[in-house]
Amino acid sequence: MNWVCDNQQAINDILFYSQNIGVALGLLFGYIGDMYGRRPQQLLCLVAHVASRLLIFLAPDVVVLFILAESLVSAVAGPMLESALAVGLELTDVRYRTTVNRYASCSMATGMMATGLVAWVMPNWTYCLSFATVSCLALLLFFSWFPESPRWLACRGRQQETMRLLRRIAATNGTTVPPLALSVVRTLGKSKTDRRGFLSLFSSRNVFKNSVLLIIARSVYLLTMFSPVLAVSSLSVNPFLTVAAQGGAQFVSYCVANFCASRVGRRWSGVAAPLLAAIASGVIFCMLTVDIAGPALVAMIMVMQFSTTISFSVANLQSVEVHPTCLRQIAACVEWAIAGVAMSALPYLALMKDKRQPFAVLTALNLATALAVSFLPESALQRLPETLQDAALFGKERPYWSWKPKPPPEYTAEQCGSSEPS
């Protein structure tokens, strides 16, 4: 529409307002996930995606409705991902959490590649958005297979529903529920007395610190990931191929991220990734200074996206693993919400007149992030915290200069987690 194509400021304003409105709505979706369940949260997120696309179809030339539609997508993107990932990790033994995360992450990379290619094949925005709408409707067809989290049910004191779901899962896998499952479910049910809601983030210094560090990681990830996407039009490269290439780089980086996270742990993988992003961003700054463009520039952007995607994948794992079940979705949505506020600065950062400046800023931000996330606790091969008390103590006894993660002694004694409810 002319109010976008002929007015560069309109793009900045639309992204700014949609991100900030999405922040408030995103907090609501996160609250629903912890208070009413992962399943209702996932359904509402899918419906919001479809509604936002239909809203744009009905009134594409009305700026207010366009902003509202974009706000819905901004609000539900994080909660939709986190609810699906949380259920997957909450159903999984400690040995296989990185595997589940890899499947989810590689699917997002495939979607990123499809975004660039579909937009290239369907340059008409109506057809492109129609494809996105049909994709969301297809997910609704499979929603009946999306389970509630047994851990969440147990932490809410709903023992009968938890055992019924565990028996269904066991039957699907051709096995039976372990004898100790009921006693574990009853133990988890004690956490139903924990304080609920957003104030739980302040329940202990450890919980608050971990949340702040993850907010920093997510904020810098968003800025680093999407700045080249917006700035690409000024870098003399094909925007569709560049987006598809970034998706390809993400696919590889997700595999590398999960390999490193399982071998050397989440913490040092999370430190190395922003350090590499800072180096790549600094090299791009130098290349633009001497006017180097074309394939070499695209290659460095892919390196930056590669390392940034590792940060994203590791941060997702850490967010699920360091927060307790009763706070997992609220904490993730608060992290995404505040990162969304930082994201509102994206158009003003990416579309600076001096095309070198965004990369100078990103270099400094990634260096600061590498230092910050080094203070997160190592969560590989550790049991998920269930209560606020568990989260308050999680990782506090481990030294800063620890290296390869090791399972706790009780995990080995129980023969690889046979007493876990899942």
Side-chain angles (χ1 to χ4, degrees):
M1 308 301 294
N2 289 334
W3 48 265
V4 170
C5 297
D6 292 343
N7 185 357
Q8 187 68 40
Q9 187 63 31
I11 300 175
N12 298 359
D13 292 340
I14 288 170
L15 289 176
F16 177 84
Y17 289 114
S18 64
Q19 281 296 134
N20 284 281
I21 295 174
V23 164
L25 294 175
L27 292 174
L28 174 62
F29 283 100
Y31 183 83
I32 291 172
D34 275 336
M35 300 303 292
Y36 300 102
R38 304 350 182 186
R39 185 176 164 84
Q41 180 189 33
Q42 183 73 193
L43 178 61
L44 288 174
C45 289
L46 283 171
V47 171
H49 269 292
V50 175
S52 69
R53 304 300 88 183
L54 293 177
L55 191 59
I56 291 179
F57 286 141
L58 295 175
D61 56 344
V62 181
V63 179
V64 174
L65 292 181
F66 190 94
I67 292 175
L68 178 60
E70 289 302 306
S71 299
L72 279 175
V73 172
S74 175
V76 302
M80 183 175 175
L81 165 66
E82 295 292 343
S83 62
L85 183 61
V87 170
L89 297 185
E90 288 168 352
L91 283 169
T92 306
D93 184 76
V94 298
R95 295 168 295 172
Y96 305 115
R97 290 205 296 256
T98 50
T99 302
V100 172
N101 189 61
R102 181 173 68 248
Y103 291 147
S105 301
C106 289
S107 298
M108 290 187 291
T110 303
M112 182 74 167
M113 288 186 284
T115 298
L117 297 177
V118 169
W120 198 6
V121 174
M122 303 178 181
N124 186 300
W125 70 269
T126 305
Y127 298 148
C128 189
L129 284 183
S130 298
F131 185 86
T133 305
V134 171
S135 299
C136 290
L137 287 172
L139 286 176
L140 283 172
L141 297 178
F142 293 97
F143 181 74
S144 61
W145 294 354
F146 188 81
E148 187 53 85
S149 166
R151 288 181 185 271
W152 181 84
L153 290 171
C155 287
R156 299 293 289 184
R158 294 158 64 171
Q159 297 180 11
Q160 292 183 350
E161 294 177 68
T162 305
M163 293 305 300
R164 186 161 54 246
L165 180 56
L166 289 177
R167 293 188 188 101
R168 196 184 86 187
I169 293 172
T172 301
N173 293 327
T175 184
T176 58
V177 178
L180 292 176
L182 182 58
S183 63
V184 173
V185 168
R186 288 172 178 168
T187 301
L188 296 181
K190 297 177 181 178
S191 68
K192 68 181 180 179
T193 58
D194 279 344
R195 180 171 51 187
R196 307 288 177 177
F198 295 100
L199 291 179
S200 299
L201 289 171
F202 303 94
S203 60
S204 68
R205 184 175 180 271
N206 200 40
V207 170
F208 179 71
K209 180 206 72 174
N210 292 338
S211 299
V212 170
L213 295 177
L214 286 166
I215 287 169
I216 294 172
R218 292 184 189 274
S219 299
V220 175
Y221 154 74
L222 288 176
L223 290 173
T224 307
M225 177 61 66
F226 292 106
S227 288
V229 175
L230 289 186
V232 74
S233 60
S234 65
L235 299 181
S236 303
V237 292
N238 186 312
F240 303 110
L241 285 179
T242 301
V243 172
Q246 289 170 17
Q250 287 181 23
F251 192 94
V252 176
S253 62
Y254 282 136
C255 295
V256 173
N258 286 277
F259 177 83
C260 295
S262 62
R263 295 299 188 278
V264 301
R266 303 354 178 185
R267 190 160 67 102
W268 294 116
S269 299
V271 171
L275 277 178
L276 180 58
I279 293 172
S281 184
V283 171
I284 293 173
F285 177 87
C286 296
M287 293 175 68
L288 293 175
T289 301
V290 297
D291 202 22
I292 297 177
L297 189 60
V298 174
M300 288 311 303
I301 291 176
M302 289 181 65
V303 171
M304 189 169 72
Q305 300 293 70
F306 170 85
S307 54
T308 304
T309 304
I310 294 178
S311 296
F312 168 72
S313 182
V314 174
N316 281 344
L317 264 176
Q318 290 175 309
S319 181
V320 172
E321 292 176 338
V322 304
H323 292 304
T325 301
C326 60
L327 187 61
R328 198 159 285 139
Q329 291 300 294
I330 288 177
C333 286
V334 168
E335 292 160 11
W336 278 114
I338 299 179
V341 174
M343 182 76 164
S344 64
L346 172 63
Y348 303 99
L349 172 65
L351 302 176
M352 290 178 173
K353 290 183 179 180
D354 186 345
K355 56 187 178 182
R356 300 174 304 167
Q357 291 180 352
F359 297 100
V361 174
L362 293 175
T363 300
L365 289 176
N366 278 281
L367 288 174
T369 301
L371 176 63
V373 298
S374 69
F375 293 98
L376 282 169
E378 180 56 69
S379 55
L381 299 180
Q382 306 301 310
R383 292 188 182 281
L384 295 177
E386 305 293 352
T387 67
L388 291 177
Q389 183 179 6
D390 293 340
L393 301 175
F394 188 81
K396 294 188 72 174
E397 73 283 0
R398 300 184 185 94
Y400 179 84
W401 293 110
S402 59
W403 184 242
K404 192 172 182 179
K406 296 180 181 179
E410 63 270 19
Y411 177 82
T412 304
E414 292 169 2
Q415 298 182 344
C416 298
S418 61
S419 68
E420 286 205 352
S422 54

